[in-house]
Amino acid sequence: MNKIFKILMPVLALLSTTSISAAQEASSLDAQINAGFASATGWFVNFIFAPFPGTSFPWIVMWLVIAASIFSLYFVFIQFRLFGHAISLVKGDYSDPDDAGEVSHFQALATALSGTVGLGNIAGVAVAVGIGGPGATFWMILAGLLGMASKFTECTLGVKYRNEYEDGTVSGGPMYYISKGFTERGLPGGKFLAILFSVFCILGALGGGNMFQANQAHAQIAGIVGDYPGWITGLIFAGVVFAVIVGGIKSIANVTEKIVPFMGILYVGAALVILIMNADQIGWAFGQIFEGAFTGLGIAGGFVGALIQGFKRAAFSNEAGVGSAAIAHSAVRTKEPVTEGVVSLLEPFIDTVVICTMTALVIIITGQLTINPETGNYIVEGGKIVTATGVSGVALTSAAFESAFDWFPYVLAVAVVLFAFSTMLSWSYYGLKAWTYMFGESKGAELTFKIIFCVFVVIGAAASLGPVIDFSDAAIFAMAVVNITGLYFLMPIVKRELNSYMARLKSGEIKKFSDQAGKSAAE
């Protein structure tokens, strides 16, 4: 023991003498990394988020919206036709516990939702409404409804082309259905696109799905308890995240199926209370949304500005077409690929149509956006609507809720931390499956990625690496370029699966599992 103590004493002394200088150098190190990384990757970020000439509309958003529109038309607005059936599937009415897969329909939906429901619903909507006005909400809802068809397409393919292993585990996602589907159709380039998608997915998982979440969670906690070193938050988060993800998708799903409903009920519940308290203004608020969608109500850019902000927020929030959700949905217990495609319809609806709209309504109804009483238009300065408290982003959402509940900032802080935690869990799984696709399905490869992921949790909480986050966000949307390209070539396969499933459902060949179980018991 004395020998160990003698060895440790110099180490501890060295750490204590260097801790102050290390803290002082941290900001300069951040700045150096930021500058170097920005110069190396700035071209890629600028390309992905580049606007159409003469507009402020990013081409990547239009890429997602056009794809969602095409899938909606191709599948004859599947998102409306099978919405009720999706709810039945989530309830487990057609679930056979003996089917291949690792999680239930509800758990798969919760895991995918935990990757999309988050700061985009809280801060992103506030930014969209603050710039595009209430009308942005209309276009956000429209884009969310269209995005349901994109989710259906990619998640059906995710289950159809997944790998099922002897130990009961599965692996699926765009990298599998692009490579297998292209081979099946005799198309070249499938393997290359699959690897390209995997690279972008890993980068996105480590950045936007990890470091950014840890960074924002630390900022929220520090805002409540006071400033303290970010690495402390990082270590705690890393330990909890590792404890969950080491158990695989079943462990992740067991956590997310509890956190996601809790977060949703907490946040939407508070919003509903505010709306009920201001029930007489709900009609007026929807009037502002519809009128602003086509006139802009005096905002900079008019209705085009509202359209751009609404479409952008929906695309950044629900990630329909990105392909990430297909990885989580691929793990579901089912022998019918279409069933999970139908279940995934609910994801953009819950994320964008419900939660994002609730946020927008609360901001509008609580009077956070200032109006010129003479013209009835919103007061705009510097391209943004002047807010009652002079804040924007997450602070604007917080101010809107705080106007009704003075304690809500504390609840919001808890919600942001839970959102960040659940997002990290989901993206750890997305990144893991991309990693094992490239480096092999082995315990060693899995553990290696999980350790790397947790190290990046600490880095994200302790550093402020802006360009790194920008690059990872660009990587996430680069996934959509690869994924949607694959979906265009493979959507005839999805239509064939859908027609077969609907014919068997209509004929009675596919029955509710409860009915089948009852019949077997009677016999």
Side-chain angles (χ1 to χ4, degrees):
M1 179 64 72
N2 288 334
K3 289 183 179 179
I4 296 175
F5 184 75
K6 288 178 181 179
I7 295 172
L8 286 177
M9 278 300 292
V11 176
L12 293 172
L14 178 62
L15 287 173
S16 63
T17 57
T18 57
S19 60
I20 297 176
S21 60
Q24 293 173 338
E25 292 174 3
S27 59
S28 62
L29 179 61
D30 276 0
Q32 292 175 27
I33 295 175
N34 282 344
F37 200 84
S39 63
T41 63
W43 65 271
F44 177 70
V45 176
N46 293 336
F47 168 70
I48 292 296
F49 296 118
F52 286 110
T55 74
S56 58
F57 205 149
W59 70 268
I60 189 66
V61 173
M62 184 58 74
W63 173 259
L64 290 164
V65 172
I66 289 175
S69 301
I70 290 173
F71 297 139
S72 294
L73 293 170
Y74 187 74
F75 295 110
V76 196
F77 295 100
I78 187 79
Q79 58 266 60
F80 305 119
R81 292 194 291 125
L82 292 185
F83 190 87
H85 187 55
I87 295 175
S88 295
L89 288 167
V90 171
K91 286 166 55 183
D93 291 349
Y94 294 84
S95 298
D96 186 339
D98 294 328
D99 284 344
E102 299 184 73
V103 297
S104 69
H105 285 297
F106 178 76
Q107 289 176 320
L109 178 64
T111 301
L113 270 172
S114 69
T116 59
V117 175
L119 290 171
N121 305 81
I122 300 173
V125 173
V127 171
V129 175
I131 298 174
T137 310
F138 174 86
W139 300 110
M140 181 177 65
I141 293 171
L142 178 61
L145 291 172
L146 292 173
M148 293 166 73
S150 298
K151 290 278 186 176
F152 165 78
T153 309
E154 61 193 11
C155 292
T156 298
L157 288 168
V159 176
K160 179 173 176 57
Y161 290 106
R162 67 186 180 182
N163 283 356
E164 299 175 3
Y165 304 106
E166 291 183 0
D167 62 357
T169 61
V170 299
S171 292
M175 49 279 192
Y176 291 93
Y177 61 68
I178 290 176
S179 59
K180 290 183 178 181
F182 273 44
T183 300
E184 184 179 304
R185 297 204 66 192
L187 299 171
K191 189 70 173 179
F192 169 76
L193 289 175
I195 292 174
L196 189 61
F197 178 90
S198 298
V199 170
F200 289 142
C201 185
I202 291 169
L203 293 173
L206 294 177
N210 182 343
M211 289 196 294
F212 175 71
Q213 305 300 325
N215 192 277
Q216 292 300 297
H218 171 69
Q220 285 294 317
I221 296 172
I224 297 295
V225 304
D227 194 28
Y228 66 95
W231 60 265
I232 297 176
T233 301
L235 281 177
I236 295 172
F237 261 79
V240 177
V241 168
F242 185 79
V244 175
I245 67 176
V246 74
I249 184 61
K250 290 183 179 179
S251 176
I252 294 172
N254 285 334
V255 174
T256 56
E257 75 169 342
K258 297 175 180 65
I259 290 180
V260 170
F262 173 75
M263 290 189 305
I265 292 171
L266 177 70
Y267 191 76
V268 174
L272 282 173
V273 171
I274 293 176
L275 295 181
I276 293 171
M277 290 167 61
N278 299 275
D280 58 322
Q281 296 186 56
I282 293 177
W284 170 80
F286 274 109
Q288 293 285 292
I289 289 171
F290 287 110
E291 186 180 350
F294 300 101
T295 68
L297 291 171
I299 65 162
F303 90 92
V304 175
L307 182 148
I308 291 172
Q309 290 301 322
F311 277 175
K312 185 188 295 186
R313 176 44 40 210
F316 281 46
S317 178
N318 62 49
E319 297 174 11
V322 170
S324 52
I327 302 174
H329 285 284
S330 296
V332 73
R333 281 191 299 271
T334 186
K335 58 178 176 290
E336 298 285 352
V338 169
T339 59
E340 197 56 25
V342 173
V343 166
S344 70
L345 291 174
L346 298 174
E347 194 181 322
F349 183 82
I350 295 170
D351 175 273
T352 306
V353 179
V354 176
I355 299 179
C356 286
T357 302
M358 286 288 188
T359 302
L361 282 172
V362 169
I363 291 172
I364 296 166
I365 284 178
T366 56
Q368 300 302 311
L369 309 177
T370 57
I371 299 176
N372 185 326
E374 296 180 2
T375 64
N377 291 332
Y378 288 94
I379 301 173
V380 179
E381 290 182 4
K384 296 181 180 179
I385 297 175
V386 177
T387 60
T389 53
V391 296
S392 61
V394 68
L396 177 59
T397 304
S398 181
F401 279 91
E402 190 177 3
S403 66
F405 314 111
D406 56 5
W407 44 262
F408 191 79
Y410 298 98
V411 175
L412 188 64
V414 173
V416 168
V417 170
L418 288 177
F419 282 146
F421 175 61
S422 64
T423 299
M424 283 190 279
L425 293 183
S426 296
W427 275 94
S428 72
Y429 183 70
Y430 301 160
L432 172 65
K433 288 304 173 182
W435 180 273
T436 55
Y437 178 81
M438 295 176 64
F439 299 106
E441 298 275 356
S442 68
K443 296 296 182 183
E446 288 188 7
L447 184 60
T448 299
F449 178 80
K450 290 172 181 176
I451 292 173
I452 292 173
F453 189 87
C454 290
V455 168
F456 273 82
V457 173
V458 181
I459 295 173
S464 54
L465 308 177
V468 175
I469 303 301
D470 291 341
F471 176 74
S472 69
D473 281 347
I476 288 175
F477 284 94
M479 290 163 60
V481 177
V482 180
N483 182 51
I484 289 176
T485 299
L487 295 182
Y488 283 141
F489 286 104
L490 300 178
M491 62 185 188
I493 295 174
V494 178
K495 192 154 200 174
R496 187 180 67 209
E497 290 284 333
L498 175 62
N499 290 339
S500 170
Y501 179 79
M502 293 305 296
R504 287 179 288 127
L505 185 65
K506 189 175 181 178
S507 69
E509 182 180 341
I510 296 177
K511 300 181 178 66
K512 289 187 177 181
F513 183 72
S514 55
D515 295 340
Q516 299 176 44
K519 184 178 179 181
S520 298
E523 292 173 352

